[in-house]
Amino acid sequence: KNPRQNPIFISVQLHKKFDEENGANSAPQVQTKTTMTSNENNKNNGTTASNTTQPPSLFCSIGSPETSLSNETVQQKVNEFLSALGPRRDVLILPPDFTRFHSQAGMITRFVSEYYNFTKPENPTTSTANTAAAAASSSPSPPASVPKLQIIPALGTHAPMTHSQIDLMFGKELASKTNDPDVENPFVVHNWRDDVVTIGYAPATMVSEATYGMVHEPWPAQLNKLVWERRKDNHDASSSDLPPLVLSIGQVVPHEVMGMANFNKNLFVGVGGVEAINLSHFIGAVHGMEKLMGRGQNPLRSILNYASETFLQTNLDLWYILTVMGTNDKTGEVEIKGLYIGRDEECYNLACDLSLKVNFNLLEKSPKKMVVYLNEEYHSTWLGNKSIYRTRMAIDDGGELVVLAPSVEMFGEDGHIDELIRKVGYVGTPKIMEEMGKDEDLKNNLSAVA
């Protein structure tokens, strides 16, 4: 099949024997809930909806292995959600970068921008349909004034997005603002080495547990300074406006370091800092990819959840818009299987449940040979190593893995990480741990070690 229609990150190959031995099936089964909008919630409570009414903590939960959500449905749900939040003067969006092109986070970011009249609709037909849908419901109208809107792609350690990547992922209207001399560029490049602030710490006991006692130091919760500036106590309490809105948008999918990608990873890693990213990657590597992959709850995620509950939920008006992507069995096309909007762990857990259903392939027999094609999204071994992570729990002992990687041209996404990988090489855990003990530079760049 066309590899562009079946990107490797959509699924993890897993042999059934491995699955049984490591308990992947012990995760909760998919629970599909109906969507409850702010208006519906208020009706149930006998109150009247208004622009100042906060939506329920789980605003939208739609998804199942058989679900196929249209772009129009997604836009309608996003519009209903933003209407329920009420008008804002300051909106900060944290989508993934181009390595999550198929997440549809770019499209959802565009929907948010269009809702706030920051950009004009790229698809007038869709816009007309959604206007009609909004009029048919009791949802408030889009705001008349245009808020300040900024977008920080959650790069983590990845290379900055190019203009062509922004164009492809977020659309021409938003891309045109990156080089318009009359307007401020809404896109901000996250620098994980210099643009961050430490907002608190997770206890050393949690880190020690996750690393089997190898590391006993607190984990620093770090964020891009622009994100932390949006905290509520920086807002003018005398103003009638709601505090700045932070939207974290992305795809929940199996991840080799975090178990499942996105949710608070989008903040603490995607727009996090050197110390936090280095230690989190190292914790994941030490704990073991086979014990993490596809598990929404694990020691590393517990550390991030602690930081979320302690620092983010009390300080930011932060909401998550999460997708689950899967492949249509008949057409082979990637489609939206689930949409979850909320402000706490519940929407993430529901997305994880669905991802386990649609993003894992359980094989009856371990293949002797597997072939992986990496498309143009994979320009480094840092990213391309997913071809190994996503297959090695299925491939037979002594089997062969062939990786076709025409776009790979570097090792690390970050220049210094690339330099360290070239210096030491991919030499296996015992050797790399030995090298770390001798090399101070490696000790200070644990993500490279991982």
Side-chain angles (χ1 to χ4, degrees):
K1 294 180 180 179
N2 182 349
R4 291 174 179 271
Q5 296 177 354
N6 296 274
I8 189 65
F9 65 77
I10 286 296
S11 63
V12 174
Q13 315 300 316
L14 189 66
H15 185 242
K16 280 189 174 180
K17 181 180 178 183
F18 183 93
D19 178 50
E20 292 162 0
E21 291 174 352
N22 290 271
N25 279 338
S26 63
Q29 298 299 304
V30 173
Q31 298 179 2
T32 305
K33 295 184 178 180
T34 57
T35 303
M36 176 176 281
T37 66
S38 178
N39 290 345
E40 291 167 344
N41 188 50
N42 290 331
K43 288 174 185 176
N44 292 339
N45 289 296
T47 59
T48 303
S50 71
N51 282 350
T52 58
T53 302
Q54 281 286 290
S57 60
L58 179 64
F59 180 85
C60 176
S61 173
I62 309 173
S64 75
E66 294 74 36
T67 298
S68 178
L69 294 174
S70 68
N71 295 349
E72 291 76 18
T73 297
V74 172
Q75 185 171 21
Q76 182 179 342
K77 296 303 177 186
V78 169
N79 285 355
E80 289 174 359
F81 164 64
L82 296 175
S83 293
L85 285 176
R88 300 296 171 109
R89 285 190 176 183
D90 188 344
V91 178
L92 177 63
I93 307 174
L94 307 175
D97 63 9
F98 198 69
T99 62
R100 288 286 187 272
F101 174 78
H102 291 272
S103 65
Q104 297 306 316
M107 178 185 72
I108 293 173
T109 299
R110 178 166 59 81
F111 290 161
V112 174
S113 175
E114 291 174 2
Y115 172 84
Y116 286 113
N117 297 316
F118 188 76
T119 51
K120 61 183 180 182
E122 295 204 10
N123 187 336
T125 304
T126 302
S127 176
T128 302
N130 277 278
T131 301
S137 71
S138 56
S139 301
S141 301
S145 60
V146 179
K148 176 184 178 181
L149 189 145
Q150 286 184 302
I151 302 166
I152 308 180
L155 297 174
T157 62
H158 297 172
M161 293 181 69
T162 65
H163 179 80
S164 61
Q165 288 174 341
I166 291 174
D167 189 313
L168 282 171
M169 185 165 175
F170 297 101
K172 295 189 180 300
E173 288 294 325
L174 275 171
S176 68
K177 291 183 178 291
T178 62
N179 51 19
D180 186 341
D182 297 326
V183 297
E184 181 181 356
N185 183 356
F187 286 90
V188 178
V189 177
H190 172 66
N191 184 327
W192 70 305
R193 295 191 182 277
D194 300 319
D195 293 348
V196 298
V197 60
T198 300
I199 64 174
Y201 291 86
T205 52
M206 299 183 76
V207 177
S208 180
E209 177 188 349
T211 60
Y212 307 107
M214 287 184 63
V215 180
H216 191 78
E217 61 182 67
W219 180 81
Q222 297 179 313
L223 284 179
N224 186 289
K225 295 173 184 176
L226 291 178
V227 180
W228 195 234
E229 284 175 3
R230 264 65 177 194
R231 61 188 183 277
K232 295 174 184 176
D233 60 9
N234 278 1
H235 182 64
D236 182 3
S238 64
S239 170
S240 60
D241 293 326
L242 290 172
L245 174 63
V246 181
L247 297 175
S248 178
I249 303 174
Q251 175 189 3
V252 172
V253 65
H255 190 270
E256 58 279 357
V257 175
M258 203 60 63
M260 287 287 190
N262 221 270
F263 187 48
N264 45 32
K265 173 184 180 290
N266 216 38
L267 287 104
F268 291 126
V269 176
V271 291
V274 172
E275 296 174 38
I277 293 176
N278 278 340
L279 188 52
S280 63
H281 276 74
F282 187 73
I283 291 170
V286 169
H287 192 76
M289 184 272 290
E290 286 83 358
K291 296 177 182 177
L292 291 171
M293 181 75 80
R295 290 164 177 80
Q297 303 302 324
N298 58 69
L300 180 52
R301 179 63 76 172
S302 295
I303 291 172
L304 268 64
N305 288 349
Y306 171 89
S308 277
E309 293 166 6
T310 307
F311 309 117
L312 299 187
Q313 287 180 209
T314 55
N315 285 292
L316 297 174
D317 194 13
L318 168 65
W319 292 81
Y320 300 93
I321 304 177
L322 305 176
T323 62
V324 175
M325 308 298 297
T327 304
N328 185 297
D329 292 335
K330 295 180 180 179
T331 66
E333 295 286 342
V334 177
E335 60 188 8
I336 303 176
K337 294 290 187 180
L339 178 68
Y340 302 88
I341 303 175
R343 64 175 308 150
D344 56 30
E345 197 177 345
E346 186 179 8
C347 70
Y348 164 72
N349 288 336
L350 289 167
C352 287
D353 293 344
L354 179 56
S355 179
L356 279 175
K357 292 288 187 182
V358 301
N359 297 142
F360 273 86
N361 294 328
L362 299 181
L363 307 181
E364 295 288 347
K365 183 179 178 181
S366 293
K368 290 288 186 183
K369 183 175 184 177
M370 299 186 77
V371 180
V372 175
Y373 174 82
L374 299 177
N375 62 22
E376 66 276 4
E377 295 170 40
Y378 297 88
H379 51 261
S380 67
T381 59
W382 185 269
L383 301 174
N385 284 337
K386 293 179 187 292
S387 59
I388 302 171
Y389 308 143
R390 304 300 172 94
T391 59
R392 76 181 192 185
M393 290 186 285
I395 196 167
D396 200 10
D397 290 346
E400 181 183 3
L401 173 65
V402 178
V403 182
L404 306 177
S407 297
V408 168
E409 55 187 21
M410 64 183 75
F411 291 104
E413 292 278 294
D414 173 85
H416 190 51
I417 298 295
D418 182 83
E419 184 181 309
L420 288 172
I421 295 174
R422 291 175 185 273
K423 175 182 175 182
V424 181
Y426 292 103
V427 292
T429 300
K431 180 65 175 175
I432 196 67
M433 296 300 287
E434 178 186 333
E435 290 295 321
M436 185 185 74
K438 299 184 295 185
D439 192 323
E440 200 65 29
D441 206 3
L442 277 176
K443 285 182 183 178
N444 295 328
N445 289 276
L446 291 177
S447 57
V449 175

